Amino acid sequence: FLYFPETHGISFRIQITVKELLDTDVLLKLLFHLPVNYPSTVPDISVNSDQLTRAQCMDVKDKLLEQAKKHLSEPMVHDLILWIQQHLKDVIKQSATVCNEKTTLSEGTSAEDGIWMLLLHLDHMRAKAKYVKTVEKWASDLRLTGRLMFMGKIILILLQGDRSSIKEYLILQKTSKVDVDSSGKKCKEKMMSVLCETEVQSQHKRFKTFEVKEYSMLKELQKEFETAGLTSLFSEFVPPLLK
């Protein structure tokens, strides 16, 4: 596996193969981010697999976090890997049952349950085209909607979606090589600010898609926020960026 030091802890990737699950081998790609106060705090975990659906990956992640809470104050990553190798089949079966139950709920109930919003500020994008494509792919993979907004030198990312997807997006944004440095080498995003992370309220309009938009004037950017019912969010966080 790979590991690389971070300013706020350590992140590393592990790939494991679980044999003969549902008549096929499943390759799990796990990304662990250990905060500075680990193991007193549980790690952030990201789960990907070509053999599982996005929802199944989310369920695997949730179960791993449940297990992690049982191992607080002791090294846990090795135990978590062993646990998921032994229990993946049960998690997937349970996931299918939960999925079937959810389809019987009204769409309004499930759609509005636990939707969160994230506003990020990026200092710059040197490799803009590649960076934009990467953000679009992450938003699509995690079923997040919102805007990537450019106005002069201001770059903002506004996302809405399940809280777990928002958290996973943040891990990807912090740990992936999304840009290039002044010498052209691939580098991670080190100048990102989380301006706001909060639950979507009834007065907020839900974005239906994720779009990349450029604005020539501040009024155009302000209107985008106002249309989404986010006037206070704009007033609090955007004007200070102009100073």
Side-chain angles (χ1 to χ4, degrees):
F1 60 86
L2 302 174
Y3 81 94
F4 31 88
E6 289 286 326
T7 310
H8 303 293
I10 291 176
S11 294
F12 55 90
R13 300 176 190 277
I14 293 177
Q15 294 191 12
I16 60 171
T17 301
V18 182
K19 296 285 186 183
E20 298 175 6
L21 176 67
L22 307 178
D23 300 321
T24 183
D25 290 352
V26 173
L27 178 64
L28 279 183
K29 301 169 188 175
L30 307 174
L31 172 64
F32 291 90
H33 176 70
L34 310 185
V36 175
N37 52 354
Y38 169 85
S40 298
T41 304
V42 298
D44 284 323
I45 304 171
S46 172
V47 179
N48 283 290
S49 175
D50 293 337
Q51 290 82 36
L52 302 180
T53 65
R54 184 82 235 149
Q56 287 172 329
C57 287
M58 286 294 185
D59 285 332
V60 171
K61 173 186 168 180
D62 290 343
K63 292 297 182 185
L64 282 171
L65 287 172
E66 279 179 24
Q67 290 301 311
K69 289 172 185 173
K70 298 177 183 178
H71 293 277
L72 278 176
S73 301
E74 60 186 60
M76 64 185 76
V77 173
H78 181 64
D79 289 331
L80 294 179
I81 292 167
L82 290 178
W83 186 89
I84 199 59
Q85 284 178 314
Q86 294 167 7
H87 295 90
L88 183 60
K89 196 168 186 176
D90 296 329
V91 174
I92 301 308
K93 278 184 180 176
Q94 197 174 359
S95 175
T97 307
V98 171
C99 187
N100 289 336
E101 286 174 1
K102 279 184 180 175
T103 56
T104 63
L105 295 172
S106 70
E107 191 176 332
T109 306
S110 57
E112 294 301 325
D113 199 24
I115 301 300
W116 280 66
M117 178 169 57
L118 178 71
L119 181 63
L120 303 175
H121 172 243
L122 304 182
D123 185 74
H124 62 272
M125 286 183 181
R126 284 197 176 92
K128 183 176 176 180
K130 177 182 175 292
Y131 205 133
V132 169
K133 275 190 177 180
T134 301
V135 171
E136 286 180 311
K137 184 179 185 306
W138 288 343
S140 173
D141 288 349
L142 294 168
R143 295 178 187 170
L144 297 172
T145 60
R147 300 285 185 267
L148 169 52
M149 301 175 280
F150 296 91
M151 203 286 296
K153 291 187 176 180
I154 293 178
I155 306 170
L156 297 170
I157 301 176
L158 179 61
L159 298 168
Q160 292 178 343
D162 292 339
R163 191 176 190 186
S164 56
S165 297
I166 293 281
K167 294 286 186 190
E168 190 162 347
Y169 179 93
L170 270 174
I171 295 173
L172 289 168
Q173 183 79 54
K174 290 175 182 175
T175 61
S176 303
K177 291 186 176 180
V178 287
D179 207 1
V180 295
D181 60 21
S182 54
S183 63
K185 282 186 175 180
K186 290 181 180 179
C187 67
K188 293 172 202 163
E189 179 56 70
K190 294 178 181 173
M191 300 183 74
M192 176 191 78
S193 305
V194 178
L195 301 179
C196 179
E197 185 179 352
T198 184
E199 192 164 9
V200 170
Q201 304 300 316
S202 56
Q203 70 269 26
H204 300 153
K205 181 183 172 187
R206 290 286 309 281
F207 291 108
K208 296 199 183 321
T209 58
F210 181 81
E211 297 176 30
V212 180
K213 301 184 83 168
E214 303 216 11
Y215 311 85
S216 56
M217 295 184 298
L218 188 64
K219 280 186 178 178
E220 294 176 359
L221 181 60
Q222 185 173 355
K223 190 175 179 183
E224 183 78 69
F225 277 79
E226 288 174 353
T227 304
L230 301 170
T231 305
S232 59
L233 193 72
F234 176 88
S235 303
E236 184 175 354
F237 295 108
V238 180
L241 300 175
L242 298 168
K243 294 175 184 175

